[in-house]
Amino acid sequence: MSSPSMSAPERLGPPRGARIEVSDVYQYFASPGKEPVLAVDTTSLVIEPGEFVCFVGPSGCGKTTVLNQIAGLVKPTGGTVTLDGKTAKEGRPDVGYLLARDGLLPWRTALGNVMLPMELRGTPRAEAEHRAAGMLETVGLGKFLHSYPSQLSHGMRQRTALSRTLVVEPTTILMDEPFSALDAETRLRLQGVFLKLWEHHRSSVCFVTHDLSEAIVMADRILVFGARPGKIIADYRINLERPRNVLELQENDQYHHYFQEIWSVLRKELAAA
Amino acid sequence: MSTPTATPAEPMSTPRPAPSAPPPGELKTKRKHAHFRWSVPLGWLVFGLLLIGIWEICATTGVVNPVYFGQPSLIVQSLFQNLFGELLYVHTVATFTGVILGWLLASALGIAAALALSASPYLLKVIEPYFTMANSLPRVALAPLFLLWFGLGVEAKVALAFSLAFFVVFSNTLAGVQSAESERRLLARVLGASKIQTFRKFVLPGAVPGIFTGLELGFIFGMLAAVAGEMLAGRAGLGVQLQFYANSFRMNDYFATLIILVTGTMLFSWLLRTIRRRLLRWQEAAETE
Ligand SMILES: Nc1ncnc2c1ncn2[C@@H]1O[C@H](COP(=O)(O)OP(=O)(O)O)[C@@H](O)[C@H]1O
Ligand SMILES: [Mg+2]
């Protein structure tokens, strides 16, 4: 943990992210023998290059659906999603995606798992290995390069998955409750690790969470989703100074002020859901 | 967050020598059941010798009739007499050649068919009922037919071993391929993997444990089918000999043949398991956790 004397703030890197534009998007899901469900009602949002945006809201209100539309995994029933002007499509090399479950391949070591995205793109093996090892070093797993996922703790596995997502330096990072399966302490640690990396890289981030305090600590902007059908009902800007320290923020007055303000809105939605 | 000041449990003025913990290296290498390392094999030996001893005594005292049940000491004698004779060189070679050929064919085709069909859910659905039907058939019932078609040589053994091993390898491979979680396929999509990459890097490695289970079981079932066929008819083979020895009340030779059969099959299974362990070190890692 950083001592106060060290907190001469390092400078933020320049923003490098993509501009994400979601325009008048709505989403129906058809299931056989049932009425189509309106999962997302007409919604628009813009994520500026290098902006860190969190989605919060009750479960089932369409957060994952919008995220997957941006990832190109779900094609919106209506409306458009563009990244730097280009229509979203799955498997773009400049988009990183991370879920709550790590999805590590059990037959690959931590190093092998982090090398995977580079391998798929034909990066020379030596370079891929060098970058993967460096990335794992950064997240504090330098001693576990050759461990299999089954030999790693929950938090270490998620750090490996985070490395796999970030090692190719995506300009857009999409995360669906990435830390929700971790215990409180590990979650704080990983929030810190990710925040530090992001402050350096400044990609555009879309981060889904059901944990409001996590959203405030991480985000530049918080979008609150309302329940059924899903829709964005509030948009907050979080003007906490960067670089941020996850642990110190827990005692920050401004942080608590944001929490109360947003919570009063969120609580009504949670009760309605 | 408020940090309550901790009250030291003991006054600082009375230092005590800290209890020395064992060096971590020792703890790690110490196996959970290390004390079983010698006692288990010893138990096997004692248990085996006890059974053989009782059998020997029963046979010599006439509690059981050695004409029907054989006698351990004479079985060992028969085994040594046969060890470098016809039983080993002609019949063992005949049986194992047939089974291994049938098993190799079944493995190659079973794995290939499962991998190919897993790519097409439609074809799989079409073929499924026929496979189930073929697999429900007691394959030993085909032995007379195969003997008629292929004669008394090695071909009938190959066909019988194949007919049983194929489905075992096929269904285990298919289960392995289909075990790839949807999450893993999602990851492949997100990372922009091509169809071939998805198969090679995300699906196939996960199917290897299933394939090996199929190979091991396939060999045992192949052996079953081939020996059963030999007992019906055949020019050479351990099954042929078993039938012959039983008919002529040569129980000691009968049991010696069984021992050769069991030993050969166990050796082959051991070989497969060794290869499996080499290939699947990541599974070992999970088990020792
Ligand atoms: N593939 C799908 N098929 C049918 N319904 C879906 C599908 N994905 C999501 N839904 C439904 O859409 C709604 C929104 O889901 P989701 O985006 O996962 O919400 P959140 O991530 O906010 O919890 C839910 O009611 C869910 O049941
Ligand atoms: Mg969700």
Side-chain angles (χ1 to χ4, degrees):
Chain A
M1 258 135 273
S2 60
S3 58
S5 63
M6 256 181 65
S7 61
E10 315 153 37
R11 295 219 1 156
L12 286 185
R16 272 181 266 206
R19 185 171 194 274
I20 302 167
E21 200 168 344
V22 175
S23 318
D24 301 324
V25 150
Y26 59 91
Q27 185 79 50
Y28 280 102
F29 282 117
S31 31
K34 278 191 214 158
E35 285 282 289
V37 183
L38 182 59
V40 179
D41 202 354
T42 317
T43 293
S44 298
L45 66 101
V46 173
I47 299 177
E48 294 297 338
E51 198 170 34
F52 197 132
V53 174
C54 279
F55 294 175
V56 297
S59 79
C61 65
K63 306 182 295 293
T64 297
T65 302
V66 173
L67 193 81
N68 284 342
Q69 287 170 342
I70 299 173
L73 293 169
V74 169
K75 195 183 171 309
T77 317
T80 58
V81 179
T82 59
L83 280 72
D84 278 339
K86 279 176 274 176
T87 304
K89 71 174 210 296
E90 70 180 49
R92 281 177 56 142
D94 52 351
V95 175
Y97 188 89
L98 183 63
L99 295 168
R101 292 188 58 192
D102 53 62
L104 297 177
L105 302 180
W107 53 85
R108 283 177 174 248
T109 59
L111 188 67
N113 268 288
V114 179
M115 284 168 66
L116 184 62
M118 292 179 283
E119 227 173 273
L120 297 176
R121 274 160 222 186
T123 310
R125 201 185 158 76
E127 188 198 333
E129 195 170 325
H130 179 75
R131 280 170 63 184
M135 190 68 223
L136 282 164
E137 200 89 46
T138 310
V139 300
L141 289 179
K143 287 205 185 102
F144 298 91
L145 300 184
H146 304 292
S147 300
Y148 287 101
S150 58
Q151 297 168 311
L152 299 174
S153 73
H154 220 50
M156 289 157 106
R157 285 208 296 273
Q158 197 63 355
R159 268 189 272 176
T160 308
L162 185 66
S163 304
R164 183 191 60 207
T165 307
L166 300 182
V167 72
V168 286
E169 305 193 349
T171 51
T172 299
I173 302 176
L174 308 173
M175 303 168 102
D176 195 353
E177 312 201 10
F179 306 142
S180 64
L182 304 173
D183 64 83
E185 190 200 329
T186 310
R187 188 180 322 151
L188 282 179
R189 270 239 296 283
L190 261 88
Q191 286 168 0
V193 167
F194 177 59
L195 211 50
K196 207 159 175 197
L197 286 167
W198 175 80
E199 278 162 354
H200 180 64
H201 282 290
R202 294 292 304 285
S203 34
S204 306
V205 177
C206 187
F207 188 109
V208 174
T209 174
H210 57 238
D211 178 352
L212 180 56
S213 50
E214 177 172 74
I216 298 170
V217 163
M218 313 280 280
D220 293 317
R221 257 170 81 204
I222 294 179
L223 303 179
V224 182
F225 278 61
R228 269 161 225 277
K231 203 174 174 53
I232 295 169
I233 55 164
D235 182 346
Y236 292 95
R237 187 156 291 283
I238 308 297
N239 288 316
L240 294 169
E241 202 182 326
R242 291 198 191 266
R244 295 180 190 168
N245 180 316
V246 173
L247 293 175
E248 283 170 13
L249 274 179
Q250 311 290 325
E251 312 175 49
N252 182 306
D253 283 339
Q254 240 184 319
Y255 162 88
H256 288 288
H257 174 77
Y258 280 125
F259 190 95
Q260 272 163 10
E261 187 179 344
I262 304 174
W263 180 245
S264 65
V265 174
L266 192 55
R267 199 182 53 189
K268 280 188 218 118
E269 292 307 317
L270 292 174
Chain B
M1 266 180 285
S2 67
T3 46
T5 48
T7 39
E10 283 175 50
M12 303 295 276
S13 53
T14 55
R16 253 188 347 189
S20 55
E26 262 178 53
L27 278 176
K28 278 209 168 149
T29 52
K30 210 178 260 176
R31 302 269 297 276
K32 227 184 208 169
H33 301 294
H35 52 290
F36 282 164
R37 191 175 297 163
W38 297 114
S39 62
V40 167
L42 193 71
W44 290 339
L45 196 69
V46 170
F47 187 68
L49 286 178
L50 202 69
L51 281 184
I52 292 170
I54 292 173
W55 186 358
E56 179 76 30
I57 290 168
C58 288
T60 47
T61 57
V63 175
V64 298
N65 187 347
V67 175
Y68 295 115
F69 292 94
Q71 187 176 336
S73 57
L74 296 178
I75 291 170
V76 172
Q77 201 183 323
S78 158
L79 198 59
F80 275 100
Q81 273 167 7
N82 281 310
L83 211 48
F84 300 102
E86 201 183 60
L87 187 60
L88 193 74
Y89 284 133
V90 178
H91 300 294
T92 306
V93 167
T95 298
F96 275 83
T97 306
V99 173
I100 289 175
L101 282 178
W103 172 80
L104 280 176
L105 208 61
S107 302
L109 293 181
I111 292 172
L115 295 185
L117 284 178
S118 72
S120 166
Y122 172 73
L123 269 184
L124 195 60
K125 274 256 184 294
V126 170
I127 285 183
E128 208 176 9
Y130 295 98
F131 267 48
T132 312
M133 226 189 294
N135 204 20
S136 311
L137 183 77
R139 245 52 54 77
V140 179
L142 293 177
L145 194 64
F146 285 170
L147 286 165
L148 204 64
W149 288 351
F150 299 112
L152 300 178
V154 76
E155 294 89 343
K157 303 184 213 300
V158 174
L160 273 165
F162 175 87
S163 70
L164 218 63
F166 174 81
F167 291 97
V168 177
V169 174
F170 175 85
S171 49
N172 277 285
T173 303
L174 194 63
V177 173
Q178 291 175 338
S179 75
E181 313 149 35
S182 54
E183 181 194 335
R184 210 167 279 160
R185 291 177 188 275
L186 178 70
L187 179 71
R189 280 174 68 188
V190 163
L191 292 178
S194 68
K195 267 203 156 151
I196 293 173
Q197 283 177 327
T198 303
F199 181 73
R200 277 192 36 212
K201 293 185 188 287
F202 294 80
V203 176
L204 191 56
V208 173
I211 290 175
F212 264 93
T213 305
L215 293 181
E216 280 168 41
L217 287 175
F219 187 78
I220 290 170
F221 280 103
M223 179 61 81
L224 173 98
V227 171
E230 286 174 349
M231 293 175 74
L232 208 63
R235 213 171 289 132
L238 293 172
V240 178
Q241 290 310 103
L242 284 175
Q243 191 70 296
F244 168 67
Y245 291 141
N247 286 339
S248 43
F249 293 96
R250 286 166 64 175
M251 280 307 140
N252 296 320
D253 292 327
Y254 188 95
F255 280 108
T257 309
L258 279 189
I259 291 173
I260 293 177
L261 203 51
V262 168
T263 310
T265 307
M266 277 171 63
L267 271 177
F268 198 86
S269 294
W270 171 82
L271 189 73
L272 278 177
R273 273 202 305 276
T274 307
I275 297 172
R276 178 200 194 119
R277 219 172 299 137
R278 280 280 164 83
L279 264 142
L280 297 176
R281 249 170 306 185
W282 56 274
Q283 271 202 331
E284 293 268 303
E287 278 155 20
T288 53
E289 231 16 48

